[in-house]
mmCIF file of all heavy atoms in Angstrom:
data_model
loop_
_atom_site.group_PDB
_atom_site.id
_atom_site.type_symbol
_atom_site.label_atom_id
_atom_site.label_comp_id
_atom_site.label_asym_id
_atom_site.label_seq_id
_atom_site.Cartn_x
_atom_site.Cartn_y
_atom_site.Cartn_z
ATOM 1 N N ALA V 542 -3.033 -14.629 -14.158
ATOM 2 C CA ALA V 542 -2.961 -13.678 -15.273
ATOM 3 C C ALA V 542 -1.670 -13.904 -16.064
ATOM 4 O O ALA V 542 -0.591 -13.936 -15.475
ATOM 5 C CB ALA V 542 -3.024 -12.253 -14.745
ATOM 6 N N PRO V 543 -1.750 -14.057 -17.378
ATOM 7 C CA PRO V 543 -0.569 -14.426 -18.177
ATOM 8 C C PRO V 543 0.274 -13.234 -18.633
ATOM 9 O O PRO V 543 0.982 -13.331 -19.638
ATOM 10 C CB PRO V 543 -1.202 -15.153 -19.372
ATOM 11 C CG PRO V 543 -2.510 -14.448 -19.566
ATOM 12 C CD PRO V 543 -2.983 -14.089 -18.176
ATOM 13 N N TYR V 544 0.206 -12.136 -17.898
ATOM 14 C CA TYR V 544 1.016 -10.971 -18.262
ATOM 15 C C TYR V 544 2.479 -11.209 -17.884
ATOM 16 O O TYR V 544 2.780 -12.025 -17.007
ATOM 17 C CB TYR V 544 0.480 -9.725 -17.556
ATOM 18 C CG TYR V 544 -0.950 -9.398 -17.925
ATOM 19 C CD1 TYR V 544 -1.959 -9.474 -16.970
ATOM 20 C CD2 TYR V 544 -1.291 -9.037 -19.221
ATOM 21 C CE1 TYR V 544 -3.280 -9.194 -17.296
ATOM 22 C CE2 TYR V 544 -2.602 -8.757 -19.564
ATOM 23 C CZ TYR V 544 -3.595 -8.841 -18.599
ATOM 24 O OH TYR V 544 -4.892 -8.574 -18.931
ATOM 25 N N ALA V 545 3.374 -10.459 -18.497
ATOM 26 C CA ALA V 545 4.791 -10.594 -18.186
ATOM 27 C C ALA V 545 5.051 -10.330 -16.708
ATOM 28 O O ALA V 545 5.900 -10.974 -16.086
ATOM 29 C CB ALA V 545 5.610 -9.632 -19.052
ATOM 30 N N ASP V 546 4.302 -9.390 -16.135
ATOM 31 C CA ASP V 546 4.381 -9.101 -14.703
ATOM 32 C C ASP V 546 2.957 -9.117 -14.143
ATOM 33 O O ASP V 546 2.248 -8.112 -14.191
ATOM 34 C CB ASP V 546 5.021 -7.738 -14.459
ATOM 35 C CG ASP V 546 5.110 -7.403 -12.975
ATOM 36 O OD1 ASP V 546 4.814 -8.292 -12.144
ATOM 37 O OD2 ASP V 546 5.472 -6.257 -12.649
ATOM 38 N N PRO V 547 2.541 -10.253 -13.595
ATOM 39 C CA PRO V 547 1.158 -10.364 -13.121
ATOM 40 C C PRO V 547 0.929 -9.831 -11.708
ATOM 41 O O PRO V 547 -0.211 -9.843 -11.235
ATOM 42 C CB PRO V 547 0.914 -11.875 -13.156
ATOM 43 C CG PRO V 547 2.254 -12.458 -12.834
ATOM 44 C CD PRO V 547 3.257 -11.538 -13.494
ATOM 45 N N GLU V 548 1.968 -9.343 -11.016
ATOM 46 C CA GLU V 548 1.816 -8.963 -9.619
ATOM 47 C C GLU V 548 0.853 -7.788 -9.430
ATOM 48 O O GLU V 548 0.671 -6.965 -10.325
ATOM 49 C CB GLU V 548 3.173 -8.628 -8.999
ATOM 50 C CG GLU V 548 3.987 -9.846 -8.635
ATOM 51 C CD GLU V 548 3.288 -10.766 -7.639
ATOM 52 O OE1 GLU V 548 2.447 -10.281 -6.857
ATOM 53 O OE2 GLU V 548 3.582 -11.966 -7.663
ATOM 54 N N ILE V 549 0.289 -7.715 -8.233
ATOM 55 C CA ILE V 549 -0.757 -6.721 -7.963
ATOM 56 C C ILE V 549 -0.190 -5.320 -7.738
ATOM 57 O O ILE V 549 -0.895 -4.345 -7.969
ATOM 58 C CB ILE V 549 -1.622 -7.141 -6.763
ATOM 59 C CG1 ILE V 549 -0.764 -7.329 -5.504
ATOM 60 C CG2 ILE V 549 -2.405 -8.394 -7.083
ATOM 61 C CD1 ILE V 549 -1.576 -7.623 -4.254
ATOM 62 N N ALA V 550 1.044 -5.173 -7.287
ATOM 63 C CA ALA V 550 1.741 -3.890 -7.181
ATOM 64 C C ALA V 550 0.857 -2.788 -6.614
ATOM 65 O O ALA V 550 0.238 -2.025 -7.351
ATOM 66 C CB ALA V 550 2.302 -3.476 -8.538
ATOM 67 N N TYR V 551 0.829 -2.683 -5.295
ATOM 68 C CA TYR V 551 -0.032 -1.697 -4.632
ATOM 69 C C TYR V 551 0.170 -0.296 -5.182
ATOM 70 O O TYR V 551 -0.784 0.455 -5.382
ATOM 71 C CB TYR V 551 0.221 -1.712 -3.120
ATOM 72 C CG TYR V 551 -0.562 -0.654 -2.384
ATOM 73 C CD1 TYR V 551 -1.944 -0.776 -2.211
ATOM 74 C CD2 TYR V 551 0.070 0.472 -1.870
ATOM 75 C CE1 TYR V 551 -2.664 0.199 -1.553
ATOM 76 C CE2 TYR V 551 -0.642 1.450 -1.211
ATOM 77 C CZ TYR V 551 -2.007 1.314 -1.051
ATOM 78 O OH TYR V 551 -2.723 2.294 -0.403
ATOM 79 N N GLY V 552 1.407 0.076 -5.467
ATOM 80 C CA GLY V 552 1.668 1.409 -5.989
ATOM 81 C C GLY V 552 0.988 1.695 -7.310
ATOM 82 O O GLY V 552 0.655 2.850 -7.609
ATOM 83 N N ASP V 553 0.749 0.667 -8.101
ATOM 84 C CA ASP V 553 0.094 0.839 -9.397
ATOM 85 C C ASP V 553 -1.422 0.853 -9.286
ATOM 86 O O ASP V 553 -2.110 1.372 -10.178
ATOM 87 C CB ASP V 553 0.506 -0.279 -10.359
ATOM 88 C CG ASP V 553 1.971 -0.227 -10.727
ATOM 89 O OD1 ASP V 553 2.579 0.857 -10.593
ATOM 90 O OD2 ASP V 553 2.514 -1.270 -11.138
ATOM 91 N N PHE V 554 -1.949 0.260 -8.223
ATOM 92 C CA PHE V 554 -3.408 0.108 -8.091
ATOM 93 C C PHE V 554 -3.895 0.621 -6.732
ATOM 94 O O PHE V 554 -4.832 0.092 -6.155
ATOM 95 C CB PHE V 554 -3.794 -1.360 -8.272
ATOM 96 C CG PHE V 554 -3.389 -1.928 -9.605
ATOM 97 C CD1 PHE V 554 -2.245 -2.697 -9.742
ATOM 98 C CD2 PHE V 554 -4.141 -1.661 -10.740
ATOM 99 C CE1 PHE V 554 -1.862 -3.202 -10.966
ATOM 100 C CE2 PHE V 554 -3.769 -2.161 -11.983
ATOM 101 C CZ PHE V 554 -2.626 -2.936 -12.099
ATOM 102 N N ARG V 555 -3.242 1.653 -6.248
ATOM 103 C CA ARG V 555 -3.513 2.168 -4.901
ATOM 104 C C ARG V 555 -4.998 2.483 -4.684
ATOM 105 O O ARG V 555 -5.602 2.041 -3.698
ATOM 106 C CB ARG V 555 -2.682 3.429 -4.658
ATOM 107 C CG ARG V 555 -2.874 4.056 -3.277
ATOM 108 C CD ARG V 555 -2.074 5.346 -3.188
ATOM 109 N NE ARG V 555 -0.679 5.127 -3.469
ATOM 110 C CZ ARG V 555 0.228 4.826 -2.537
ATOM 111 N NH1 ARG V 555 -0.137 4.715 -1.285
ATOM 112 N NH2 ARG V 555 1.483 4.643 -2.881
ATOM 113 N N GLU V 556 -5.599 3.244 -5.572
ATOM 114 C CA GLU V 556 -6.992 3.650 -5.373
ATOM 115 C C GLU V 556 -7.932 2.451 -5.417
ATOM 116 O O GLU V 556 -8.878 2.362 -4.621
ATOM 117 C CB GLU V 556 -7.396 4.681 -6.425
ATOM 118 C CG GLU V 556 -6.716 6.029 -6.242
ATOM 119 C CD GLU V 556 -7.218 7.062 -7.221
ATOM 120 O OE1 GLU V 556 -8.205 6.769 -7.952
ATOM 121 O OE2 GLU V 556 -6.643 8.166 -7.278
ATOM 122 N N ASP V 557 -7.677 1.537 -6.333
ATOM 123 C CA ASP V 557 -8.537 0.362 -6.473
ATOM 124 C C ASP V 557 -8.435 -0.534 -5.237
ATOM 125 O O ASP V 557 -9.450 -1.012 -4.718
ATOM 126 C CB ASP V 557 -8.149 -0.438 -7.715
ATOM 127 C CG ASP V 557 -8.482 0.284 -9.006
ATOM 128 O OD1 ASP V 557 -9.519 0.976 -9.045
ATOM 129 O OD2 ASP V 557 -7.716 0.155 -9.962
ATOM 130 N N ILE V 558 -7.215 -0.780 -4.765
ATOM 131 C CA ILE V 558 -7.036 -1.641 -3.601
ATOM 132 C C ILE V 558 -7.574 -0.969 -2.351
ATOM 133 O O ILE V 558 -8.211 -1.608 -1.512
ATOM 134 C CB ILE V 558 -5.556 -2.033 -3.452
ATOM 135 C CG1 ILE V 558 -5.131 -2.932 -4.619
ATOM 136 C CG2 ILE V 558 -5.314 -2.742 -2.122
ATOM 137 C CD1 ILE V 558 -3.658 -3.256 -4.662
ATOM 138 N N ASP V 559 -7.351 0.332 -2.220
ATOM 139 C CA ASP V 559 -7.904 1.056 -1.066
ATOM 140 C C ASP V 559 -9.423 0.946 -1.029
ATOM 141 O O ASP V 559 -10.021 0.851 0.053
ATOM 142 C CB ASP V 559 -7.502 2.519 -1.113
ATOM 143 C CG ASP V 559 -6.094 2.763 -0.569
ATOM 144 O OD1 ASP V 559 -5.423 1.777 -0.196
ATOM 145 O OD2 ASP V 559 -5.683 3.935 -0.505
ATOM 146 N N ALA V 560 -10.060 0.973 -2.186
ATOM 147 C CA ALA V 560 -11.526 0.851 -2.229
ATOM 148 C C ALA V 560 -11.970 -0.505 -1.697
ATOM 149 O O ALA V 560 -12.988 -0.608 -0.997
ATOM 150 C CB ALA V 560 -12.021 1.056 -3.659
ATOM 151 N N VAL V 561 -11.212 -1.552 -2.020
ATOM 152 C CA VAL V 561 -11.527 -2.885 -1.508
ATOM 153 C C VAL V 561 -11.332 -2.928 0.008
ATOM 154 O O VAL V 561 -12.189 -3.423 0.755
ATOM 155 C CB VAL V 561 -10.649 -3.959 -2.182
ATOM 156 C CG1 VAL V 561 -10.841 -5.314 -1.508
ATOM 157 C CG2 VAL V 561 -10.980 -4.058 -3.664
ATOM 158 N N LEU V 562 -10.214 -2.416 0.481
ATOM 159 C CA LEU V 562 -9.938 -2.423 1.912
ATOM 160 C C LEU V 562 -10.981 -1.623 2.677
ATOM 161 O O LEU V 562 -11.431 -2.028 3.759
ATOM 162 C CB LEU V 562 -8.539 -1.865 2.176
ATOM 163 C CG LEU V 562 -7.374 -2.621 1.520
ATOM 164 C CD1 LEU V 562 -6.049 -1.919 1.834
ATOM 165 C CD2 LEU V 562 -7.339 -4.068 1.961
ATOM 166 N N GLN V 563 -11.382 -0.490 2.127
ATOM 167 C CA GLN V 563 -12.404 0.325 2.776
ATOM 168 C C GLN V 563 -13.734 -0.413 2.824
ATOM 169 O O GLN V 563 -14.450 -0.366 3.839
ATOM 170 C CB GLN V 563 -12.566 1.653 2.043
ATOM 171 C CG GLN V 563 -13.300 2.712 2.843
ATOM 172 C CD GLN V 563 -12.563 3.100 4.110
ATOM 173 O OE1 GLN V 563 -11.370 3.390 4.094
ATOM 174 N NE2 GLN V 563 -13.266 3.074 5.237
ATOM 175 N N ALA V 564 -14.067 -1.116 1.757
ATOM 176 C CA ALA V 564 -15.311 -1.902 1.737
ATOM 177 C C ALA V 564 -15.278 -2.993 2.792
ATOM 178 O O ALA V 564 -16.269 -3.263 3.467
ATOM 179 C CB ALA V 564 -15.536 -2.503 0.352
ATOM 180 N N ALA V 565 -14.118 -3.632 2.949
ATOM 181 C CA ALA V 565 -13.985 -4.670 3.970
ATOM 182 C C ALA V 565 -14.193 -4.095 5.358
ATOM 183 O O ALA V 565 -14.902 -4.674 6.195
ATOM 184 C CB ALA V 565 -12.613 -5.331 3.866
ATOM 185 N N LEU V 566 -13.600 -2.948 5.622
ATOM 186 C CA LEU V 566 -13.737 -2.333 6.940
ATOM 187 C C LEU V 566 -15.164 -1.858 7.201
ATOM 188 O O LEU V 566 -15.690 -2.032 8.302
ATOM 189 C CB LEU V 566 -12.750 -1.172 7.069
ATOM 190 C CG LEU V 566 -11.273 -1.581 7.080
ATOM 191 C CD1 LEU V 566 -10.378 -0.372 6.902
ATOM 192 C CD2 LEU V 566 -10.943 -2.320 8.364
ATOM 193 N N GLU V 567 -15.786 -1.287 6.193
ATOM 194 C CA GLU V 567 -17.144 -0.767 6.372
ATOM 195 C C GLU V 567 -18.162 -1.877 6.578
ATOM 196 O O GLU V 567 -19.208 -1.668 7.187
ATOM 197 C CB GLU V 567 -17.531 0.088 5.168
ATOM 198 C CG GLU V 567 -16.773 1.413 5.100
ATOM 199 C CD GLU V 567 -17.062 2.187 3.829
ATOM 200 O OE1 GLU V 567 -17.967 1.765 3.065
ATOM 201 O OE2 GLU V 567 -16.386 3.202 3.593
ATOM 202 N N THR V 568 -17.865 -3.072 6.066
ATOM 203 C CA THR V 568 -18.794 -4.205 6.203
ATOM 204 C C THR V 568 -18.366 -5.177 7.299
ATOM 205 O O THR V 568 -18.954 -6.254 7.430
ATOM 206 C CB THR V 568 -18.910 -4.962 4.866
ATOM 207 O OG1 THR V 568 -17.602 -5.395 4.452
ATOM 208 C CG2 THR V 568 -19.510 -4.078 3.784
ATOM 209 N N ASP V 569 -17.339 -4.799 8.079
ATOM 210 C CA ASP V 569 -16.821 -5.676 9.145
ATOM 211 C C ASP V 569 -16.412 -7.042 8.600
ATOM 212 O O ASP V 569 -16.654 -8.077 9.229
ATOM 213 C CB ASP V 569 -17.853 -5.844 10.269
ATOM 214 C CG ASP V 569 -18.072 -4.561 11.050
ATOM 215 O OD1 ASP V 569 -17.079 -3.836 11.265
ATOM 216 O OD2 ASP V 569 -19.214 -4.279 11.433
ATOM 217 N N THR V 570 -15.815 -7.036 7.427
ATOM 218 C CA THR V 570 -15.333 -8.266 6.806
ATOM 219 C C THR V 570 -13.835 -8.400 7.073
ATOM 220 O O THR V 570 -13.065 -7.472 6.816
ATOM 221 C CB THR V 570 -15.577 -8.243 5.288
ATOM 222 O OG1 THR V 570 -16.959 -7.981 5.029
ATOM 223 C CG2 THR V 570 -15.200 -9.576 4.660
ATOM 224 N N VAL V 571 -13.427 -9.540 7.590
ATOM 225 C CA VAL V 571 -12.017 -9.792 7.885
ATOM 226 C C VAL V 571 -11.284 -10.086 6.588
ATOM 227 O O VAL V 571 -11.806 -10.752 5.688
ATOM 228 C CB VAL V 571 -11.889 -10.963 8.875
ATOM 229 C CG1 VAL V 571 -10.430 -11.383 9.051
ATOM 230 C CG2 VAL V 571 -12.501 -10.590 10.227
ATOM 231 N N LEU V 572 -10.053 -9.604 6.477
ATOM 232 C CA LEU V 572 -9.238 -9.846 5.297
ATOM 233 C C LEU V 572 -8.427 -11.124 5.486
ATOM 234 O O LEU V 572 -7.805 -11.318 6.526
ATOM 235 C CB LEU V 572 -8.288 -8.660 5.084
ATOM 236 C CG LEU V 572 -7.595 -8.538 3.725
ATOM 237 C CD1 LEU V 572 -8.604 -8.339 2.611
ATOM 238 C CD2 LEU V 572 -6.604 -7.376 3.761
ATOM 239 N N GLU V 573 -8.486 -11.993 4.496
ATOM 240 C CA GLU V 573 -7.659 -13.194 4.519
ATOM 241 C C GLU V 573 -6.248 -12.870 4.040
ATOM 242 O O GLU V 573 -6.059 -12.106 3.090
ATOM 243 C CB GLU V 573 -8.258 -14.253 3.591
ATOM 244 C CG GLU V 573 -7.402 -15.519 3.439
ATOM 245 C CD GLU V 573 -7.963 -16.477 2.402
ATOM 246 O OE1 GLU V 573 -8.809 -17.309 2.777
ATOM 247 O OE2 GLU V 573 -7.568 -16.367 1.220
ATOM 248 N N LEU V 574 -5.263 -13.458 4.702
ATOM 249 C CA LEU V 574 -3.905 -13.512 4.166
ATOM 250 C C LEU V 574 -3.737 -14.893 3.572
ATOM 251 O O LEU V 574 -3.573 -15.873 4.289
ATOM 252 C CB LEU V 574 -2.872 -13.254 5.264
ATOM 253 C CG LEU V 574 -1.398 -13.394 4.852
ATOM 254 C CD1 LEU V 574 -1.066 -12.502 3.656
ATOM 255 C CD2 LEU V 574 -0.477 -13.101 6.025
ATOM 256 N N ASN V 575 -3.846 -14.950 2.257
ATOM 257 C CA ASN V 575 -3.747 -16.234 1.582
ATOM 258 C C ASN V 575 -2.277 -16.593 1.440
ATOM 259 O O ASN V 575 -1.469 -15.803 0.945
ATOM 260 C CB ASN V 575 -4.423 -16.166 0.212
ATOM 261 C CG ASN V 575 -4.619 -17.527 -0.399
ATOM 262 O OD1 ASN V 575 -3.700 -18.083 -0.979
ATOM 263 N ND2 ASN V 575 -5.818 -18.070 -0.266
ATOM 264 N N THR V 576 -1.925 -17.803 1.862
ATOM 265 C CA THR V 576 -0.515 -18.189 1.928
ATOM 266 C C THR V 576 -0.021 -18.934 0.698
ATOM 267 O O THR V 576 1.148 -19.334 0.645
ATOM 268 C CB THR V 576 -0.259 -19.045 3.184
ATOM 269 O OG1 THR V 576 -0.968 -20.288 3.081
ATOM 270 C CG2 THR V 576 -0.705 -18.317 4.437
ATOM 271 N N ARG V 577 -0.879 -19.130 -0.284
ATOM 272 C CA ARG V 577 -0.533 -19.928 -1.460
ATOM 273 C C ARG V 577 0.776 -19.470 -2.104
ATOM 274 O O ARG V 577 1.598 -20.288 -2.526
ATOM 275 C CB ARG V 577 -1.674 -19.848 -2.479
ATOM 276 C CG ARG V 577 -1.373 -20.424 -3.865
ATOM 277 C CD ARG V 577 -1.424 -21.925 -3.885
ATOM 278 N NE ARG V 577 -2.789 -22.406 -3.796
ATOM 279 C CZ ARG V 577 -3.583 -22.630 -4.847
ATOM 280 N NH1 ARG V 577 -3.149 -22.387 -6.068
ATOM 281 N NH2 ARG V 577 -4.805 -23.093 -4.663
ATOM 282 N N ARG V 578 0.973 -18.158 -2.190
ATOM 283 C CA ARG V 578 2.115 -17.636 -2.955
ATOM 284 C C ARG V 578 3.224 -17.067 -2.064
ATOM 285 O O ARG V 578 4.122 -16.395 -2.559
ATOM 286 C CB ARG V 578 1.631 -16.554 -3.926
ATOM 287 C CG ARG V 578 0.596 -17.050 -4.915
ATOM 288 C CD ARG V 578 0.324 -16.060 -6.042
ATOM 289 N NE ARG V 578 0.103 -14.717 -5.577
ATOM 290 C CZ ARG V 578 0.822 -13.647 -5.978
ATOM 291 N NH1 ARG V 578 1.788 -13.790 -6.852
ATOM 292 N NH2 ARG V 578 0.556 -12.447 -5.504
ATOM 293 N N LEU V 579 3.192 -17.345 -0.784
ATOM 294 C CA LEU V 579 4.167 -16.733 0.111
ATOM 295 C C LEU V 579 5.561 -17.357 0.013
ATOM 296 O O LEU V 579 6.484 -16.903 0.689
ATOM 297 C CB LEU V 579 3.675 -16.779 1.558
ATOM 298 C CG LEU V 579 2.452 -15.919 1.870
ATOM 299 C CD1 LEU V 579 2.229 -15.835 3.373
ATOM 300 C CD2 LEU V 579 2.556 -14.515 1.278
ATOM 301 N N ASP V 580 5.724 -18.360 -0.825
ATOM 302 C CA ASP V 580 7.065 -18.871 -1.095
ATOM 303 C C ASP V 580 7.786 -18.022 -2.140
ATOM 304 O O ASP V 580 8.978 -18.206 -2.393
ATOM 305 C CB ASP V 580 7.019 -20.326 -1.555
ATOM 306 C CG ASP V 580 6.200 -20.509 -2.827
ATOM 307 O OD1 ASP V 580 5.310 -19.674 -3.106
ATOM 308 O OD2 ASP V 580 6.438 -21.504 -3.537
ATOM 309 N N SER V 581 7.060 -17.064 -2.740
ATOM 310 C CA SER V 581 7.634 -16.156 -3.732
ATOM 311 C C SER V 581 8.023 -14.852 -3.045
ATOM 312 O O SER V 581 7.180 -14.166 -2.469
ATOM 313 C CB SER V 581 6.621 -15.869 -4.847
ATOM 314 O OG SER V 581 6.996 -14.722 -5.595
ATOM 315 N N ARG V 582 9.295 -14.485 -3.111
ATOM 316 C CA ARG V 582 9.754 -13.245 -2.486
ATOM 317 C C ARG V 582 9.082 -12.038 -3.130
ATOM 318 O O ARG V 582 8.765 -11.058 -2.451
ATOM 319 C CB ARG V 582 11.276 -13.136 -2.595
ATOM 320 C CG ARG V 582 12.019 -14.196 -1.802
ATOM 321 C CD ARG V 582 13.512 -14.076 -1.951
ATOM 322 N NE ARG V 582 14.020 -12.835 -1.372
ATOM 323 C CZ ARG V 582 15.302 -12.494 -1.402
ATOM 324 N NH1 ARG V 582 16.198 -13.283 -1.981
ATOM 325 N NH2 ARG V 582 15.689 -11.353 -0.856
ATOM 326 N N ARG V 583 8.856 -12.097 -4.440
ATOM 327 C CA ARG V 583 8.215 -10.980 -5.122
ATOM 328 C C ARG V 583 6.766 -10.841 -4.664
ATOM 329 O O ARG V 583 6.283 -9.724 -4.404
ATOM 330 C CB ARG V 583 8.277 -11.192 -6.635
ATOM 331 C CG ARG V 583 7.496 -10.145 -7.434
ATOM 332 C CD ARG V 583 8.126 -8.757 -7.370
ATOM 333 N NE ARG V 583 7.218 -7.732 -7.868
ATOM 334 C CZ ARG V 583 6.915 -7.542 -9.150
ATOM 335 N NH1 ARG V 583 7.459 -8.330 -10.087
ATOM 336 N NH2 ARG V 583 6.109 -6.569 -9.505
#
């Protein structure tokens, strides 16, 4: 995303992200921890 601040910021999208996490749990879907961006402290 080409925004000045493209980060997902849980505090800004709490309800939306919680809905995804709840869907994963309800469907027994494991969550991936994607490591592509883990070299970024932000």
